[in-house]
Amino acid sequence: GQSLEQPSEVTAVEGAIVQINCTYQTSGFYGLSWYQQHDGGAPTFLSYNALDGLEETGRFSSFLSRSDSYGYLLLQELQMKDSASYFCAVRGGGSNYQLIWGAGTKLIIKP
Amino acid sequence: DVKVTQSSRYLVKRTGEKVFLECVQDMDHENMFWYRQDPGLGLRLIYFSYDVKMKEKGDIPEGYSVSREKKERFSLILESASTNQTSMYLCASSARVSEAFFGQGTRLTVV
């Protein structure tokens, strides 16, 4: 079957750096996306990696290693507003229109 | 700004009722999706549509149907609501599969 694994919860301190990992097992692979969802809110798109390496967007970076079927989201200079759930999603094999989603990582930030 | 609008934030329906969830997007996107989100399970795809009048089953289509008569509107129908369909329902649209835009969600409770 196809699956994505990410930790269910991560705790970090305000101002610190945190990394959220995602490993995937899919029948095909086109790219890895990351989404943020605040409690009661809609998921919002953060980043997409189709090729190996690091993509940086402000305080957030996303990394992909296709040979290891692994990626991570790196959040720097953590702020309280970064407390949210973070989902990885893979555009994989099968239908060209589907994303396969991880179960989400709840990021708890302490002052 | 891309806007995806779901008709209701909260709904309470009785078992056996026919339920309509409406979703409208304003970005002329080809692709539209219906997901349900349950704690610990992430997002699960119910149905998606890549063009007007076109639809494809996702991972959990049983008990649901959809309608896409116009490009901007994608409706999810629960033919006969059951208590196990109590969930958060999220509509999304996209031009690229990697980047989806979500509505605020409809929290449906079936009693």
Side-chain angles (χ1 to χ4, degrees), chain A residues 40-96:
Chain A
T44 56
F45 173 80
L46 292 175
S47 67
Y48 176 69
N49 295 64
L51 301 175
D52 290 351
L54 191 69
E55 296 273 346
E56 298 181 58
T57 310
R59 294 187 297 112
F60 293 5
S61 303
S62 55
F63 172 83
L64 175 65
S65 169
R66 289 174 295 171
S67 60
D68 295 322
S69 299
Y70 164 75
Y72 65 74
L73 181 69
L74 190 75
L75 295 81
Q76 302 183 75
E77 301 172 18
L78 284 171
Q79 301 175 11
M80 297 304 291
K81 67 178 182 179
D82 298 329
S83 295
S85 292
Y86 292 84
F87 293 87
C88 57
V90 164
R91 183 183 163 203
S95 168
N96 192 35

Side-chain angles (χ1 to χ4, degrees), chain B:
Chain B
D1 271 357
V2 174
K3 195 160 187 183
V4 180
T5 304
Q6 294 183 229
S7 52
S8 306
R9 285 298 304 271
Y10 301 93
L11 273 180
V12 180
K13 296 292 182 180
R14 295 193 180 277
T15 301
E17 275 193 79
K18 191 168 186 174
V19 181
F20 293 84
L21 303 183
E22 306 286 342
C23 175
V24 177
Q25 52 100 358
D26 66 359
M27 281 302 291
D28 203 35
H29 285 163
E30 303 288 339
N31 308 313
M32 295 189 75
F33 307 82
W34 274 105
Y35 291 92
R36 63 177 282 177
Q37 184 175 28
D38 301 288
L41 296 179
L43 278 73
R44 293 182 292 168
L45 183 64
I46 304 171
Y47 267 97
F48 64 99
S49 169
Y50 51 88
D51 201 352
V52 174
K53 296 194 187 292
M54 304 301 289
K55 59 187 179 185
E56 284 201 25
K57 294 179 180 178
D59 299 316
I60 51 164
E62 296 77 20
Y64 304 94
S65 62
V66 290
S67 172
R68 186 139 180 231
E69 296 296 318
K70 293 186 177 181
K71 191 175 187 179
E72 67 269 19
R73 187 178 298 270
F74 192 36
S75 303
L76 179 70
I77 303 146
L78 286 67
E79 298 291 342
S80 177
S82 64
T83 55
N84 63 12
Q85 292 178 309
T86 291
S87 186
M88 171 69 84
Y89 289 87
L90 289 164
C91 174
S93 75
S94 73
R96 299 188 300 271
V97 174
S98 56
E99 181 178 359
F101 296 86
F102 284 83
Q104 282 298 104
T106 297
R107 187 166 293 282
L108 173 67
T109 302
V110 182
V111 298

